[in-house]
Amino acid sequence: MTRTVNAPSADFNFAQHLIANNASRPNKTALIDDVGSVTYGELTEQIRRFAGGLKAMGLKREDRVLLLMHDSSDWVVAFLGSLYAGVVPVAVNTLLTAEDYAFMLTNSRAQAALVSGALLPTLQAAMDQVKTEVQHVVVSRPSAALSQGQFDMADFVRQSNPALPASTLADEPAFWLYSSGSTGKPKGTVHSQGNLYWTAELYGKDVLALRESDVVFSAAKLFFAYGLGNALTFPLSVGASVVLMAERPTPLATFKRMVDHQPTVFYGAPTGYGGMLASPDLPAKNRVALRLCSSAGEALPRDIGERWTAHFGCEIIDGIGSTEMLHVFLSNRPGDVRYGTTGKAVSGYEVELRNEDGSVVTGHNEIGDLYIQGPSSALMYWNNREKTRDTFQGVWTKSGDKYTRDPDGYYTYAGRNDDMLKVSGIYVSPFEVEATLVQHPAILEAAVIGKEDTDGLTKTKAFIVLKQGQSLTQDEVKAFVKERLAPYKYPRFIEFVAELPKTATGKIQRFRLRDLEKTAHS
């Protein structure tokens, strides 16, 4: 039976919504990070004081603040404290360059910055490059003496007076996330207070069925739309406990948290799951407490899902979301996992496939462009009217992905619009070829692009990363794929590489491979 979800009231502040929901559990552990833990009662107090500190600085409703922090309890306090005050946090990737942050500071017109001590030198380098409007910098866990205009976050929170929540609206701009930039310049994606509520209700509660007793751990970071829901919006909406990790999610670092903190729900990306399965340190099933795993970012290869379940006895529910829709809108469900597909539409969302002329695809297993309709769609791209109008088309949002739908209603990923290949006049999905390649026991990762042959015809080229200590010939790779796919799909060209170019969120940057290919033959 489908659960009825009521819309938030017109006057709605998401941070206050969480505080009210957790008022009955002040002594329950909310957050566990690398240096300690925070209860729900302590979290509420820190949110209110942080908001009071922002107001004392002179920040006003809808002013933007850059949020550049490693995952920690301070990240959560900074984000929710800003929302509570009606100030707009602009959460950014922690793995970028000073040049990237300089662009974001200018683009967002941030009035203040919230930064981890380890990232302060990079932020300072960015501020030195441009004329910035930043007047104050709040530093989480500083590692050196601070300069004028810089504040230690612990002192900042402790010395500020608690504030009352800002009287914000559900449709009011609440925070920004920059798109990953896998296809070019990142875009400031503006989300509302209500969007956080909708993703928690429709995915966190309906699909994941999170409960207060859960301990959750996300390899995807909080600055990423997927990670924000995983490790903040969803668990704090039900009173669960969250494990946060500042360092990069290497297999060893991830295993340590799985064993030490016994999370019941884990969120990762296909690249991470593949790396963990290939690791000699993979813990035994009896050393972890996993009841459910989630994957997004890119489509999960069937082989990885099946091997994970065989080892841990735990399903991975693969889904697709986007920065523009804030979280997952198409997903497998616990107990109804069909590996190799992305499942069906999450309740509350509608999806449809369209042809190049805009007509709706009605046949089965035909490739079409994926469009989504749902309540968590972003308001716009900041100061980018052309891209806004192209992506947000009335009630529909264009995802930029291509999919097929089988007779049972399950959707299968076919690639990004700009990644699709036409070989012998027929569309070929790079992902389908990649998913076949990684089934080979010697192959760790693969990426497929189009390459023109001597006749000027497009053929598939595979870039392959082998597992440590493994070897393969090009002919062995070709034979392996020919046995499993239609003849025109096997890679005519193969190059073995040490690593693949990726975004900080683990997505393969095929456009960089295409650029390298052009450069090599120019």
Side-chain angles (χ1 to χ4, degrees):
M1 181 180 295
T2 303
R3 184 175 66 93
T4 300
V5 179
N6 296 319
S9 61
D11 297 313
F12 181 77
N13 183 295
F14 184 74
Q16 174 57 22
H17 168 72
L18 291 184
I19 287 173
N21 279 0
N22 293 301
S24 63
R25 52 177 74 90
N27 298 319
K28 169 81 187 296
T29 298
L31 309 170
I32 306 163
D33 68 11
D34 296 338
V35 300
S37 63
V38 176
T39 66
Y40 274 100
E42 291 166 340
L43 179 59
T44 293
E45 182 70 7
Q46 289 180 33
I47 289 169
R48 288 174 168 161
R49 288 184 178 275
F50 190 87
L54 294 180
K55 290 184 176 182
M57 280 181 173
L59 290 170
K60 302 183 295 298
R61 180 103 160 253
E62 296 187 26
D63 278 347
R64 269 86 62 190
V65 294
L66 193 80
L67 174 50
L68 173 61
M69 285 187 186
H70 292 131
D71 281 18
S72 65
S73 60
D74 280 357
W75 199 108
V76 177
V77 170
F79 183 83
L80 292 177
S82 297
L83 263 61
Y84 191 83
V87 171
V88 177
V90 179
V92 298
N93 186 332
T94 59
L95 300 174
L96 302 180
T97 66
E99 289 73 20
D100 294 317
Y101 300 132
F103 165 77
M104 293 170 177
L105 284 166
T106 303
N107 182 249
S108 68
R109 302 175 194 152
Q111 301 293 304
L114 319 172
V115 63
S116 290
L119 296 168
L120 181 58
T122 307
L123 174 68
Q124 190 60 60
M127 293 173 61
D128 291 342
Q129 290 182 23
V130 293
K131 185 177 180 180
T132 176
E133 297 181 41
V134 171
Q135 300 296 315
H136 306 287
V137 178
V138 178
V139 184
S140 167
R141 301 169 188 174
S143 54
L146 299 179
S147 305
Q148 186 175 356
Q150 299 176 346
F151 305 88
D152 184 319
M153 182 164 168
D155 295 336
F156 179 78
V157 169
R158 185 169 53 253
Q159 295 168 6
S160 297
N161 294 319
L164 295 174
S167 299
T168 53
L169 304 175
D171 289 339
E172 184 171 320
F175 65 101
W176 296 16
L177 298 172
Y178 275 96
S179 62
S180 63
S182 60
T183 56
K185 205 75 167 172
K187 300 177 289 293
T189 310
V190 182
H191 278 285
S192 70
Q193 293 274 351
N195 285 0
L196 292 160
Y197 169 87
W198 284 115
T199 57
E201 294 294 320
L202 299 177
Y203 185 77
K205 294 181 181 179
D206 273 3
V207 176
L208 297 174
L210 285 185
R211 44 189 182 255
E212 183 181 359
S213 59
D214 277 319
V215 177
V216 308
F217 173 44
S218 176
K221 299 300 185 180
L222 286 163
F223 66 77
F224 184 25
Y226 179 49
L228 178 63
N230 298 344
L232 192 157
T233 312
F234 304 162
L236 299 190
S237 291
V238 299
S241 299
V242 184
V243 177
L244 298 168
M245 178 175 73
E247 64 186 296
R248 297 187 71 168
T250 62
L252 206 57
T254 302
F255 297 152
K256 177 173 172 54
R257 273 71 180 184
M258 283 184 177
V259 172
D260 289 354
H261 298 295
Q262 296 289 292
T264 54
V265 179
F266 173 74
Y267 312 85
T271 300
Y273 284 112
M276 286 188 283
L277 285 169
S279 171
D281 300 304
L282 185 71
K285 176 184 176 181
N286 62 7
R287 297 186 65 206
V288 303
L290 299 173
R291 71 168 181 86
L292 181 65
C293 293
S294 167
S295 179
E298 285 196 311
L300 179 76
R302 179 196 302 271
D303 177 63
I304 289 178
E306 290 175 344
R307 286 193 289 129
W308 185 270
T309 298
H311 182 84
F312 286 112
C314 169
E315 293 177 321
I316 302 176
I317 53 168
D318 186 30
I320 182 174
S322 67
T323 305
E324 291 77 11
M325 294 302 297
L326 189 54
H327 214 274
V328 172
F329 51 80
L330 184 65
S331 181
N332 284 270
R333 285 178 172 267
D336 184 24
V337 170
R338 189 171 294 192
Y339 285 129
T341 79
T342 317
K344 300 178 180 180
V346 172
S347 297
Y349 295 88
E350 293 180 46
V351 298
E352 67 180 30
L353 303 181
R354 298 183 187 177
N355 292 305
E356 291 179 0
D357 62 3
S359 62
V360 177
V361 173
T362 56
H364 298 308
N365 300 317
E366 294 182 24
I367 293 175
D369 295 316
L370 182 68
Y371 284 72
I372 316 101
Q373 180 181 165
S376 63
S377 177
L379 302 174
M380 62 177 167
Y381 296 128
W382 179 255
N383 283 354
N384 199 330
R385 182 178 177 85
E386 180 181 358
K387 289 287 187 182
T388 295
R389 294 178 72 174
D390 181 56
T391 298
F392 305 105
Q393 302 179 7
V395 297
W396 292 95
T397 299
K398 182 173 74 175
S399 74
D401 298 288
K402 287 189 181 288
Y403 264 82
T404 62
R405 183 182 60 250
D406 70 18
D408 296 326
Y410 292 84
Y411 288 78
T412 299
Y413 182 67
R416 291 288 297 174
N417 286 356
D418 51 1
D419 289 333
M420 291 298 292
L421 308 175
K422 225 169 191 179
V423 179
S424 303
I426 307 171
Y427 271 122
V428 174
S429 162
F431 177 76
E432 182 185 19
V433 183
E434 292 164 4
T436 301
L437 286 165
V438 297
Q439 291 175 30
H440 194 289
I443 295 176
L444 178 63
E445 294 179 320
V448 170
I449 64 169
K451 171 183 168 67
E452 289 188 354
D453 63 14
T454 54
D455 296 321
L457 300 174
T458 298
K459 298 292 189 292
T460 49
K461 174 171 181 177
F463 293 83
I464 293 173
V465 179
L466 295 175
K467 293 179 181 175
Q468 190 171 1
Q470 298 292 320
S471 63
L472 275 178
T473 66
Q474 294 190 13
D475 287 341
E476 287 172 332
V477 173
K478 292 176 181 179
F480 182 81
V481 177
K482 283 180 181 178
E483 291 175 359
R484 292 161 175 79
L485 294 180
Y488 65 91
K489 295 181 180 180
Y490 83 90
R492 268 48 166 206
F493 308 100
I494 294 169
E495 184 175 337
F496 296 103
V497 296
E499 60 181 0
L500 299 174
K502 296 173 187 171
T503 68
T505 53
K507 295 181 183 179
I508 296 171
Q509 294 176 309
R510 294 178 187 82
F511 77 96
R512 293 198 181 279
L513 295 173
R514 290 193 291 268
D515 290 345
L516 287 172
E517 194 66 29
K518 289 177 184 176
T519 302
H521 294 88
S522 60

